Amino acid sequence: MDTSNPAAFVNAELLRMYVGRRVRAVIQVLRNDGGSIFGKSTDEQELVIKGQPPNPLTTFVEVIGIADSNRSIQAEIWTNFGDNFDVSSYNTVCQLANGDFKHLFI
Amino acid sequence: MPVNLTANAIAAIDAGDVNAKPLVQVLDIKLIGSSQERYRFLLSDAVATQHAMLATQLNDRVKTGRVRRGSVIQLIEYIGSTVQKRKIIVILNMETIILDCDVIGNPSVLELDSLPEKPLSSGPRPSINNSVAGAQNLSRTSYNNVKTSSSLNQGGNMQSFRPTVQPSYQPPPNYKNHGAIMRNEAPARIIPIAALNPYQGRWAIKARVTAKGDLRRYNNARGDGKVFSFDLLDSDGGEIRVTCFNAVVDRFYDTIEVGKVYVISKGSLKPAQKNFNHLNNEWEIFLETTSSVDLCPDEDTSIPRQQFSFRPISEIANAESNSILDIIGVVVTVNPSVPIMRKNGMETQRRILNLKDQSGLTVELTLWGDFCNREGQQLHDMVEAGIFPILAVKAGKVNDFSGKSIGTISATQLFINPDSAEADSLRNWFDRGGKDTASHSITKDAILGGMKNETRKCLTQIKDEGLGRSDKPDWIAVKATVSFIKTDSFCYTACPLMIGDRQCNKKVTKSGNSAWLCDRCNQEFEECDYRYLLQVQIQDYSGMTWVTAFQEAGEEILGCSAKELYVWKNEMQDDLKFLEVIQNCLFREFILKLKIKEEIYGDEQKLKITVVKADKLNYSEESRFLFDSITKRHVTTY
């Protein structure tokens, strides 16, 4: 297992700390344009995810890729997370994983 | 400072004025009554005096000292009554104006005769007051109280009531128990049901029949008999039950129809039997052959058709078991009717449905017997068609076997989509979104409702903390994975007969070659029930242990009924299916509520752990629980 380039759990606010680096986020799909999607992060802000979304695409999707700005991610891996997702729990995980427990993750 | 009492108050009441709300003074209070406590006041309006009976709902006022001898009171609701030419006031509501006051004015207390009283009941006279024993003591206001207790014959037979107050200066009347007595035959005044009491001289009530009971025959030491009862409701909302025995049944059974209004008089009043009579009245009317029941053909719109006092489902959760109440709710589910064997071997039908109201709570309603096929079937069809009707239940019984639920009794009445304000508001609430709000059942969850927040522990803590060693069992919750289930014996043959509301469930033994015998119910039957008795090994991050799971927990863990599993394994020899079911539940995580108790088996102490409830993980909730644990334990270093 290649642990050389771990993806950090991010929401919109944490994304800017990882510009240029590998991140992962769960996004609620708002609009699907084929080449990119507009989605809502787990802290309720709009992000752009570039790449090839899978077909079909469920309401929630996890993307892993490189953050290319503080509002967008170039996604390499897409995983459908279904239509029911506890957004607030995920958001708390992002905060803990980048805060007190960062040493457990990165 | 003395106040002025209402002049001529006594005379006014005797003349029929019940609206004046006069101020009077209580000169004396006596506790009388052999079966029931009654207080008798001697009231004065500064000139004249008269006895008055206090309605029992006010008994507390005397007991707590809110009214005493000398108190000046205002009569708020009262009736003047004549019993055998004696005038008595019945006080239904009063307020104490001055608690202690010297005697106002110069009331002339009526002279009592010293009529030797014929004891009407053969029992010993209960001693009421010490002062009565010294009956010859004349007090300042010069009156005797001769033995008054047994005059209030609990049989309620009007003719034998012998009050001791008599109009002054008249020779003692010579009434015997069975003399011919001239009675005033003028039609009695109609009074509210709430004012009825056994001391009422003549009364008449006008009310609508809200329920008519079945004609029942009985057989007791005195022979055969028949009885039927019906309930009345009047325009003030007062309710009372009327009962007829034997010959009286023949006279009135066919005349009485539900929904019609009657004027009834000349019945006798006795204490209501609270076991059967759930109406809000301490009395019950018993009709005689001399009673009169007259149909009122005109539609009296002032009398409602039914009276309910609905309780919201949230209050049922706290209601006392076996209490009787009215509820109203939207029928959200209706289960099929199932035959249930009663302990006496008779079969009856049972149907369970769920009612939901604006509190967002649902409660199970169990229909028994005819209700299943009549209203039950109707409700079932309506719900199948997508209509969720409103159901009002009058006189349902609270049951606390599993949380709180309501069951029908013989006195219950069901009304589908009744015409009432509560029904309308429920309909509006439901149609506008109430339908989709989350429901929480007070019937299922409540069995652990109070214990919902069991402490979460890990498996090794059971041993480390010595759980189960005290006299009472310990209850905890664990998150654990099922790692093994013993399959040689996973269920037992159980008795399906009902004992009251629950199934017997005792292990049954084979009798003969095709029947099963239950020792507790002492009955044999063809088909037994199969119930889980699982030995399960569970593990978590700390360790492992063995637990026992019964029916409900077993079903949750395995995902199918014990009977199905039994059939697959033993009858259909479908080992594959059986194994598949078992495999599916292995390594699944559950939140298990455990009951831990150390018990002595022979000379050994063994820790018995039972799964009381098994729940699949709710990831959202569990995440929040874990976040909570994290923040609780973690101390931020910067």
Side-chain angles (χ1 to χ4, degrees):
Chain A
M1 184 167 129
D2 181 6
T3 56
S4 57
N5 203 0
F9 282 86
V10 296
N11 51 23
E13 197 187 308
L14 294 161
L15 185 59
R16 70 179 72 112
M17 289 170 25
Y18 290 92
V19 177
R21 292 164 62 185
R22 218 169 143 78
V23 294
R24 76 200 303 155
V26 170
I27 303 292
Q28 182 181 351
V29 179
L30 298 175
R31 273 189 325 278
N32 184 353
D33 278 347
S36 60
I37 63 162
F38 289 88
K40 194 159 67 159
S41 67
T42 54
D43 55 349
E44 313 279 306
Q45 297 187 48
E46 250 202 52
L47 297 179
V48 177
I49 315 293
K50 299 169 193 158
Q52 287 274 42
N55 195 5
L57 190 60
T58 59
T59 312
F60 291 94
V61 61
E62 186 202 45
V63 294
I64 304 176
I66 307 291
D68 59 4
S69 81
N70 59 359
R71 274 281 168 272
S72 63
I73 301 174
Q74 181 79 282
E76 294 154 17
I77 306 174
W78 301 71
T79 314
N80 274 329
F81 265 26
D83 297 320
N84 274 320
F85 191 74
D86 186 346
V87 168
S88 70
S89 289
Y90 188 88
N91 204 47
T92 313
V93 170
C94 290
Q95 290 165 340
L96 290 171
N98 286 286
D100 290 337
F101 299 94
K102 194 164 178 172
H103 58 281
L104 295 177
F105 289 82
I106 306 263
Chain B
M1 191 165 137
V3 74
N4 284 332
L5 302 176
T6 307
N8 299 321
I10 305 283
I13 299 175
D14 287 347
D17 182 345
V18 292
N19 297 317
K21 297 203 172 83
L23 281 180
V24 292
Q25 185 174 28
V26 180
L27 295 185
D28 193 26
I29 301 180
K30 278 256 166 340
L31 174 60
I32 47 186
S34 42
S35 65
Q36 210 187 24
E37 286 182 332
R38 302 289 317 218
Y39 287 99
R40 190 186 68 188
F41 287 4
L42 183 63
L43 298 181
S44 143
D45 65 359
V47 173
T49 59
Q50 187 141 298
H51 275 123
M53 293 304 301
L54 189 67
T56 52
Q57 66 255 28
L58 300 175
N59 277 1
D60 249 33
R61 306 270 180 107
V62 178
K63 289 188 187 174
T64 55
R66 274 154 64 195
V67 62
R68 9 190 213 247
R69 287 195 184 93
S71 292
V72 173
I73 63 175
Q74 180 177 30
L75 301 179
I76 311 277
E77 264 178 70
Y78 52 97
I79 297 230
S81 181
T82 307
V83 182
Q84 297 220 334
K85 291 199 177 176
R86 279 89 159 150
K87 293 203 185 282
I88 292 266
I89 300 171
V90 180
I91 305 175
L92 301 165
N93 198 0
M94 54 150 264
E95 276 308 317
T96 303
I97 308 296
I98 304 178
L99 188 56
D100 284 309
C101 186
D102 292 334
V103 176
I104 298 172
N106 198 8
S108 70
V109 178
L110 306 171
E111 188 191 285
L112 298 183
D113 68 320
S114 31
L115 178 73
E117 198 180 54
K118 285 199 187 134
L120 300 160
S121 44
S122 51
R125 298 200 194 104
S127 64
I128 4 149
N129 243 321
N130 286 337
S131 63
V132 173
Q136 294 312 310
N137 286 339
L138 297 182
S139 64
R140 183 171 59 86
T141 44
S142 68
Y143 57 93
N144 299 1
N145 275 318
V146 189
K147 323 100 203 157
T148 57
S149 51
S150 32
S151 57
L152 293 172
N153 187 345
Q154 65 189 87
N157 185 343
M158 297 299 209
Q159 288 186 321
S160 34
F161 177 61
R162 317 280 305 279
T164 55
V165 171
Q166 295 214 341
S168 11
Y169 310 116
Q170 280 188 7
N174 216 358
Y175 295 129
K176 291 197 173 47
N177 283 349
H178 308 290
I181 294 178
M182 280 303 295
R183 288 179 155 262
N184 182 349
E185 292 298 333
R189 219 170 70 239
I190 296 207
I191 64 168
I193 286 180
L196 281 175
N197 63 81
Y199 317 106
Q200 201 68 27
R202 278 170 318 109
W203 50 264
I205 52 174
K206 183 176 180 190
R208 195 189 299 275
V209 176
T210 55
K212 179 177 172 183
D214 296 325
L215 175 58
R216 280 206 310 275
R217 291 173 199 278
Y218 61 87
N219 189 309
N220 61 19
R222 288 180 288 197
D224 292 331
K226 53 187 176 181
V227 60
F228 96 102
S229 297
F230 56 95
D231 295 344
L232 295 175
L233 171 65
D234 74 1
S235 50
D236 294 315
E239 294 191 89
I240 193 164
R241 172 160 293 183
V242 183
T243 301
C244 304
F245 282 98
N246 302 322
V248 189
V249 169
D250 295 327
R251 242 197 99 192
F252 295 123
Y253 188 74
D254 294 321
T255 333
I256 296 292
E257 282 177 66
V258 174
K260 295 219 157 88
V261 178
Y262 300 84
V263 170
I264 296 183
S265 63
K266 297 189 225 146
S268 61
L269 281 148
K270 297 186 194 179
Q273 293 167 290
K274 285 299 173 192
N275 287 344
F276 307 104
N277 182 345
H278 310 297
L279 297 177
N280 186 12
N281 198 318
E282 57 183 314
W283 307 109
E284 198 170 314
I285 297 176
F286 288 81
L287 295 181
E288 315 292 339
T289 39
T290 48
S291 305
S292 69
V293 171
D294 297 311
L295 173 66
C296 297
D298 312 321
E299 187 39 50
D300 189 341
T301 50
S302 70
I303 306 181
R305 298 218 147 246
Q306 266 298 345
Q307 174 142 289
F308 296 99
S309 44
F310 294 121
R311 306 271 293 271
I313 295 180
S314 47
E315 271 181 41
I316 299 175
N318 300 321
E320 222 179 86
S321 181
N322 292 331
S323 59
I324 305 292
L325 39 76
D326 302 338
I327 58 170
I328 188 168
V330 183
V331 179
V332 286
T333 58
V334 180
N335 291 342
S337 205
V338 295
I340 299 285
M341 184 97 75
R342 300 212 96 123
K343 188 159 187 208
N344 57 9
M346 301 286 291
E347 208 183 72
T348 186
Q349 296 285 329
R350 181 187 76 184
R351 205 190 261 272
I352 294 184
L353 36 90
N354 278 289
L355 295 180
K356 184 173 175 180
D357 75 0
Q358 289 101 323
S359 61
L361 295 173
T362 63
V363 66
E364 236 178 50
L365 172 68
T366 306
L367 304 181
W368 293 97
D370 290 338
F371 287 119
C372 296
N373 298 330
R374 276 192 330 243
E375 289 88 343
Q377 189 59 47
Q378 202 181 340
L379 291 168
H380 178 259
D381 297 336
M382 288 169 101
V383 170
E384 285 274 283
I387 309 169
F388 296 96
I390 311 279
L391 181 68
V393 181
K394 184 160 174 78
K397 189 169 178 184
V398 176
N399 182 286
D400 71 347
F401 167 56
S402 156
K404 287 264 160 48
S405 58
I406 308 280
T408 59
I409 52 176
S410 56
T412 304
Q413 293 186 76
L414 299 179
F415 301 89
I416 304 182
N417 285 329
D419 188 11
S420 82
E422 289 93 344
D424 292 337
S425 82
L426 259 175
R427 178 94 269 148
N428 277 334
W429 163 79
F430 192 75
D431 292 339
R432 285 182 200 167
K435 178 175 182 170
D436 303 311
T437 58
S439 320
H440 180 82
S441 173
I442 65 170
T443 304
K444 310 266 170 56
D445 290 357
I447 197 174
L448 293 169
M451 309 191 277
K452 190 116 226 266
N453 299 317
E454 249 89 354
T455 351
R456 187 71 79 82
K457 295 209 180 277
C458 69
L459 294 177
T460 44
Q461 278 177 290
I462 297 177
K463 225 194 199 137
D464 293 345
E465 293 176 14
L467 295 179
R469 298 233 178 100
S470 53
D471 332 309
K472 288 196 145 179
D474 286 310
W475 304 79
I476 62 168
V478 295
K479 179 169 72 179
T481 307
V482 172
S483 52
F484 189 79
I485 298 186
K486 281 201 180 149
T487 52
D488 355 320
S489 162
F490 58 89
C491 69
Y492 72 98
T493 46
C495 173
L497 302 179
M498 296 299 285
I499 302 185
D501 290 344
R502 318 182 187 205
Q503 229 174 289
C504 167
N505 287 337
K506 186 164 159 51
K507 181 164 180 187
V508 295
T509 49
K510 256 226 170 306
S511 115
N513 42 357
S514 67
W516 296 96
L517 170 66
C518 172
D519 292 330
R520 185 192 293 172
C521 302
N522 226 339
Q523 294 221 33
E524 277 192 17
F525 33 81
E526 295 277 319
E527 287 277 318
C528 65
D529 198 8
Y530 292 93
R531 290 179 71 83
Y532 278 123
L533 181 44
L534 295 171
Q535 299 300 329
V536 184
Q537 186 194 61
I538 57 173
Q539 296 191 22
D540 72 358
Y541 63 83
S542 68
M544 73 93 144
T545 188
W546 285 90
V547 299
T548 308
F550 290 101
Q551 182 71 345
E552 292 73 25
E555 281 184 352
E556 183 66 30
I557 293 174
L558 286 168
C560 67
S561 75
K563 181 156 191 171
E564 289 175 282
L565 212 54
Y566 179 84
V567 164
W568 285 323
K569 182 173 193 211
N570 297 332
E571 291 182 15
M572 287 166 47
Q573 306 293 329
D574 193 346
D575 285 342
L576 275 179
K577 179 75 185 171
F578 177 77
L579 279 176
E580 192 187 312
V581 171
I582 303 287
Q583 298 273 33
N584 271 340
C585 82
L586 292 182
F587 298 105
R588 279 241 221 112
E589 223 174 2
F590 293 91
I591 304 278
L592 303 167
K593 303 244 173 26
L594 305 177
K595 173 182 161 191
I596 305 169
K597 184 84 183 71
E598 208 169 58
E599 282 177 14
I600 308 176
Y601 286 98
D603 46 3
E604 236 181 59
Q605 294 269 66
K606 210 163 173 222
L607 201 60
K608 273 205 74 176
I609 307 179
T610 315
V611 179
V612 176
K613 194 160 196 288
D615 286 310
K616 291 197 186 43
L617 272 184
N618 176 324
Y619 293 100
S620 271
E621 271 179 32
E622 188 63 16
S623 299
R624 267 173 253 138
F625 174 83
L626 292 171
F627 287 136
D628 207 47
S629 307
I630 293 171
T631 44
K632 266 200 285 223
R633 288 163 211 268
H634 186 76
V635 175
T636 354
T637 50
Y638 61 99

